[in-house]
């Protein structure tokens, strides 16, 4: 054992934000396990539910929107189009929503014992990813059924789209998680934002509708939304290869809007981390 | 008097307090902690306040700790004493890092295990077994360390039978047993204990105190908050008395106890 007099003094409870969270892998895994375990406690199907739900969701979309409403005629494979966007929004809703709630939700721990609190935020992202996987699987099955043949560009687009989504939801979750400690209103704003995000990104409709309805700067604003970019990347990766028609991505998607989305998402993460470090010290007394 | 006198291992006079020459492990300088008495929980209220040009104070402040200076050296056994609301728990929370001071500076070195509240770090919906792992990891143990110590933790807590029961069904004493068992197995260099032994039954209290003694004999630093003056008089040699957030006495435990009784 090293002599204690040779060790440096440290300020208790001054975390280094994300760095700490990444160093405590084992604790992170336990927190993720805890979340999943608690969520599915006492249910017979357990985590299988996360496969059943998106499966049923897809079939309903296919029948109701594709067959009954005949949206297939406007957009080929509309169900795949819709579903590839919806699963990203589902992820966003869960990651952002739980991220915003996690500090208050773990208040009992935060008040009594010190641990790097950003771990809670990181763990909500992992839990959301665990729930995203089954949905992706359902999407892939649907894609293969209708004849998906992706190239390397498509696969890369899917990965980048997901990365944008993870970083963006994480950043927003951190910001609202901090805000929620001080003002419980934040939780309600989150639900509102998730709803708005679903309609303000090309999930239900193609982006050309927006281009047709607003002036050019409006479209640019629309494309500044990282969620829009991620959804378009997913359309490009999953839906476009299943359709015969030449698919129009928004102009400059890959060269301009993807880098913009990445920068914006990182900015949110940076601001979130900053706010977190600034206010972490008062969490225990405010909760 | 209390049972503590009957225990041969714990009996006898406490050692007199001699300021030691060991290295400082907790250094508290001019620390202040302010709490807000009236909380604003809605944005509307805060917004109105901002609009009105921040007139008046949004919330009343109150000093829970006010210029506390304290140095604790390696191997010391310090009792933190004082009436209800004098700021003892607040000070422990600042030392463990749960809260940050509003003024002054706190520095520590060495691994700290804080038993600040019963069941801190336990999740009610998980089993005792899962909670041992969760709590151990929170206190800084690796998976291997917990695996290696698991049986010993369960044995110490004497609740083997309930280890796979969800802890929300535990009695408060059972909570304490498991929490204490995990904490002593993290092998901390500094041990903070706040008033939690009170819920344990007598045999377990004795066991805990023997364990604490044993840790302290191995050179661990101990900071104990308790209203059980007989117990702290046996356990500690240094007494620090807090009064409304200020240190009013610091020295031999017997003087501190006399002051509180008097
Ligand atoms: N989170 C908080 N918000 C507002 N006030 C607080 C908070 N925590 C503690 N206080 C106040 O700070 C003061 C000191 O509290 P503390 O818990 O440190 O007392 P204590 O010495 O541990 O008392 P006891 O002997 O009853 O345990 C009390 O007046 C308490 O009301
Ligand atoms: Mg107290």
């Amino acid at each position: 054992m090293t002599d204690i007099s040779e060790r440096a003094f440290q300020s208790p409870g001054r975390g280094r934000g994300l760095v700490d969270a990444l160093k405590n892998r084992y604790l992170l895994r336990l927190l993720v396990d805890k979340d999943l375990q608690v969520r599915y406690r006492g249910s017979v199907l357990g985590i299988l539910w996360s496969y059943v739900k998106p499966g049923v969701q897809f079939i309903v979309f296919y029948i109701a929107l594709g067959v009954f409403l005949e949206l297939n005629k406007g957009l080929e494979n509309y169900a795949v189009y819709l579903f590839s966007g919806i699963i990203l929004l589902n992820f966003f809703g869960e990651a952002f929503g739980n991220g915003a709630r996690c500090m208050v939700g773990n208040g009992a721990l935060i008040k009594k014992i010190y641990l790097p609190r950003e771990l809670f935020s990181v763990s909500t992202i992992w839990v959301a990813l665990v729930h995203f996987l089954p949905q992706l699987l359902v999407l892939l099955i649907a894609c293969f059924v209708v004849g998906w043949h992706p190239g390397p560009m498509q696969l890369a687009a899917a990965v980048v789209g997901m990365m944008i989504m993870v970083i963006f939801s994480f950043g927003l979750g951190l910001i609202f998680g901090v805000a929620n400690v001080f003002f419980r209103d934040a939780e309600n704003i989150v639900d509102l934002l998730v709803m708005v995000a679903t309609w303000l990104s090309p999930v239900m409709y193609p982006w050309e509708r927006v281009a047709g309805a607003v002036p050019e700067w409006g479209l640019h604003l629309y494309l500044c939304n990282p969620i829009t970019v991620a959804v378009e990347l997913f359309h490009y990766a999953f839906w476009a290869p299943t359709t015969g028609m030449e698919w129009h991505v928004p102009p400059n998607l890959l060269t301009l809007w993807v880098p913009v989305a990445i920068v914006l998402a990182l900015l949110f993460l940076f601001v979130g981390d900053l706010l977190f470090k600034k206010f972490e010290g008062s969490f225990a007394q405010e909760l | 008097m209390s049972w503590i006198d009957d225990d041969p291992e714990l009996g006898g006079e406490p050692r007199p307090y001699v300021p030691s020459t060991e290295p400082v492990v907790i250094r508290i300088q001019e620390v202040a902690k302010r709490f807000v008495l009236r909380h604003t929980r809605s944005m509307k209220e805060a917004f109105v306040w901002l609009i009105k040009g921040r007139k008046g104070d949004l919330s009343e402040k109150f000093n829970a700790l006010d210029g506390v200076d304290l140095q604790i050296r390696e191997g010391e056994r310090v009792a933190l004493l004082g009436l209800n609301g004098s700021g003892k728990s607040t000070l422990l929370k600042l030392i463990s890092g749960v809260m940050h001071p509003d003024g002054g500076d706190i520095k520590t070195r060495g691994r700290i295990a804080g038993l600040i509240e019963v069941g801190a770090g336990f999740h009610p919906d998980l089993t005792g077994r899962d909670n041992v792992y969760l709590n151990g990891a929170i206190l800084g143990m690796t998976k291997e360390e917990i695996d290696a110590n698991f049986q010993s933790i369960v044995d110490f807590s004497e609740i083997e039978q309930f280890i796979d029961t969800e802890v929300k069904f535990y009695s408060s004493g059972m909570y304490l047993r498991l929490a204490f068992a995990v904490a002593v197995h993290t092998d901390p260099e500094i041990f903070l204990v706040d008033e939690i032994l009170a819920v344990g039954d007598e045999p377990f209290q004795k066991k805990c105190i023997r364990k604490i003694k044993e840790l302290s004999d191995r050179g661990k630093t101990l900071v104990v908050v308790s209203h059980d003056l007989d117990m702290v008089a046996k356990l500690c040699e240094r007494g620090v008395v807090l009064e409304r957030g200020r240190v009013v006495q610091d020295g031999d435990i017997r003087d501190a106890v006399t002051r509180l009784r008097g």
Side-chain angles (χ1 to χ4, degrees):
Chain A
M1 218 169 87
T2 54
D3 191 358
I4 210 156
S5 60
E6 279 159 24
R7 285 198 236 166
F9 275 109
Q10 289 176 330
S11 296
R14 301 276 173 192
R16 281 156 305 157
L18 272 179
V19 184
D20 274 343
L22 296 176
K23 275 178 75 181
N24 283 283
R25 298 260 182 74
Y26 178 56
L27 182 51
L28 178 61
R29 229 197 69 207
L30 286 178
L31 289 176
V32 173
D33 283 356
K34 179 201 87 172
D35 266 18
L36 291 174
Q37 228 171 331
V38 170
R39 181 103 50 111
Y40 295 107
R41 184 171 35 94
S43 88
V44 181
L45 285 184
I47 195 122
L48 267 183
W49 276 116
S50 60
Y51 288 81
V52 174
K53 269 193 236 157
V56 172
Q57 202 183 9
F58 180 80
I59 294 168
V60 169
F61 283 169
Y62 183 79
I63 296 174
L65 300 173
V67 179
F68 295 168
L69 277 178
E70 299 190 321
L71 292 172
N72 262 333
K73 290 191 178 144
L75 266 182
E76 205 178 333
N77 291 330
Y78 182 73
V80 172
Y81 182 87
L82 181 59
F83 199 67
S84 52
I86 282 269
I87 61 171
L88 273 184
L89 264 298
N90 284 348
F91 172 82
F92 178 68
E94 178 167 356
F96 178 31
N98 290 346
R101 271 174 267 268
C102 70
M103 292 304 146
V104 173
N106 285 296
L109 268 181
I110 291 175
K111 268 191 296 192
K112 294 172 185 168
I113 203 162
Y114 178 74
L115 68 162
R117 280 90 176 232
E118 241 166 285
L119 274 173
F120 295 124
S121 300
V122 181
S123 89
T124 59
I125 291 289
W126 278 109
V127 171
L129 280 173
V130 168
H131 287 133
F132 176 75
L133 220 59
Q135 307 185 41
L136 186 64
L137 203 74
V138 171
L139 175 65
L140 286 178
I141 293 172
C143 280
F144 278 121
V145 168
V146 294
W148 185 50
H149 47 84
M153 273 301 276
Q154 273 78 23
L155 294 180
V159 172
V160 172
M162 197 60 214
M163 261 165 42
I164 291 174
M165 215 57 195
V166 166
I167 298 170
F168 186 59
S169 332
F170 184 40
L172 269 183
L174 273 179
I175 294 172
F176 277 80
V178 173
N180 202 26
V181 172
F182 298 94
F183 302 104
R184 300 292 147 83
D185 312 52
E187 245 173 74
N188 300 304
I189 298 179
V190 167
D191 295 338
L192 202 69
L193 281 180
V194 171
M195 194 268 284
V196 171
T198 310
W199 290 97
L200 279 192
S201 48
V203 176
M204 315 274 180
Y205 51 84
W207 69 272
E208 284 101 334
R209 291 292 176 94
V210 178
V214 297
E216 194 173 6
W217 63 266
L219 180 65
H220 288 171
L221 196 67
Y222 184 77
L223 286 170
C224 273
N225 177 3
I227 301 178
T228 300
V229 175
V231 168
E232 277 307 299
L233 282 173
F234 260 45
H235 287 158
Y236 175 67
F238 296 106
W239 172 73
T242 67
T243 65
M245 64 181 174
E246 174 76 11
W247 182 63
H248 305 283
V249 290
N252 305 324
L253 177 71
L254 298 183
T255 51
L256 174 64
W257 298 113
V258 167
V260 165
I262 294 176
V263 169
L264 273 177
L266 284 174
L267 196 70
F268 272 89
L269 179 60
F270 180 73
V271 170
D273 194 40
L274 215 66
L275 280 178
F276 200 91
K277 276 189 249 175
K278 182 157 163 50
F279 289 108
E280 185 187 20
S282 14
F283 282 4
Q285 71 210 49
E286 294 293 336
L287 283 167
Chain B
M1 290 268 269
S2 81
W3 50 265
I4 210 152
D5 286 315
D6 311 330
D7 194 309
E9 280 178 57
L10 297 175
E13 281 296 298
R15 286 176 285 172
Y17 174 59
V18 187
S20 80
T21 52
E22 297 294 319
V24 174
V25 287
I26 303 175
R27 196 178 66 200
I28 302 171
Q29 287 169 321
E30 285 295 318
V31 156
K33 182 73 203 171
R34 266 183 298 280
F35 285 122
V36 172
L37 287 183
R38 191 176 58 85
H39 280 277
T40 317
R41 274 280 175 269
S42 89
M43 284 190 184
K44 193 180 109 204
E45 247 179 276
F47 192 67
V48 168
W49 175 74
L50 275 177
I51 293 286
K52 287 187 176 166
R54 305 179 175 212
K55 261 194 232 101
D57 209 351
L58 185 60
S59 37
E60 214 175 316
K61 298 256 169 52
F62 140 86
N63 284 339
L65 290 176
D66 191 4
V68 173
D69 272 306
L70 203 58
Q71 299 224 337
I72 295 176
R73 291 168 185 281
E74 187 179 18
E76 272 195 299
R77 287 169 286 195
V78 183
L80 219 48
L81 306 172
L83 303 179
N84 293 136
S86 53
K88 306 178 297 290
S89 303
T90 306
L91 189 55
L92 282 199
K93 284 183 181 169
L94 292 179
I95 296 173
S96 68
V98 171
M99 298 195 289
H100 295 173
D102 294 312
D105 183 46
I106 297 193
K107 290 272 189 279
T108 59
R109 49 184 170 191
R111 175 138 95 169
I112 296 183
L115 271 176
I116 293 188
E117 255 169 274
V118 186
F122 276 28
H123 194 289
D125 288 327
L126 296 181
T127 64
R129 182 184 302 274
D130 291 337
N131 268 304
V132 167
Y133 279 88
L134 183 62
N135 202 225
I138 287 174
L139 291 174
M141 290 168 96
T142 62
K143 180 171 191 307
E144 292 68 36
E145 283 174 319
I146 306 173
D147 280 338
N149 281 298
F150 187 81
Q151 197 50 46
S152 166
I153 290 172
V154 175
D155 289 345
F156 188 91
S157 67
E158 299 166 22
I159 54 162
E160 176 130 42
Q161 199 189 343
F162 301 98
I163 197 67
D164 287 311
T165 309
E166 290 164 21
V167 300
K168 65 179 163 196
F169 299 122
Y170 280 20
S171 69
S172 38
M174 286 159 69
Y175 250 96
L176 162 72
R177 282 166 174 258
L178 205 56
F180 191 88
V182 176
V184 293
H185 282 84
T186 58
D187 194 31
E189 273 119 11
I190 304 170
F191 208 59
L192 311 174
V193 189
D194 189 354
E195 199 62 70
I196 57 156
L197 296 180
V199 295
D201 53 27
E202 196 179 299
F204 191 71
Q205 281 196 18
K206 279 191 189 177
K207 187 168 168 179
C208 289
I209 290 177
R210 266 198 302 275
K211 188 75 192 179
I212 291 176
K213 279 244 167 197
E214 182 197 314
L215 285 172
S216 130
D217 288 342
R218 296 214 316 261
K220 311 290 181 192
T221 312
L222 208 63
V223 183
V224 184
V225 169
S226 178
H227 293 288
D228 185 343
L229 296 177
D230 293 321
M231 184 191 79
V232 292
K234 299 285 179 190
L235 204 57
C236 305
E237 70 265 352
R238 177 176 172 192
V240 174
V241 182
L242 283 180
E243 217 175 87
R244 274 186 244 108
R246 291 169 179 280
V247 177
V248 291
Q249 184 164 348
D250 182 359
D252 196 306
I253 184 72
R254 286 167 296 193
D255 300 334
V257 168
T258 315
R259 177 176 179 124
L260 278 171
R261 287 228 165 92

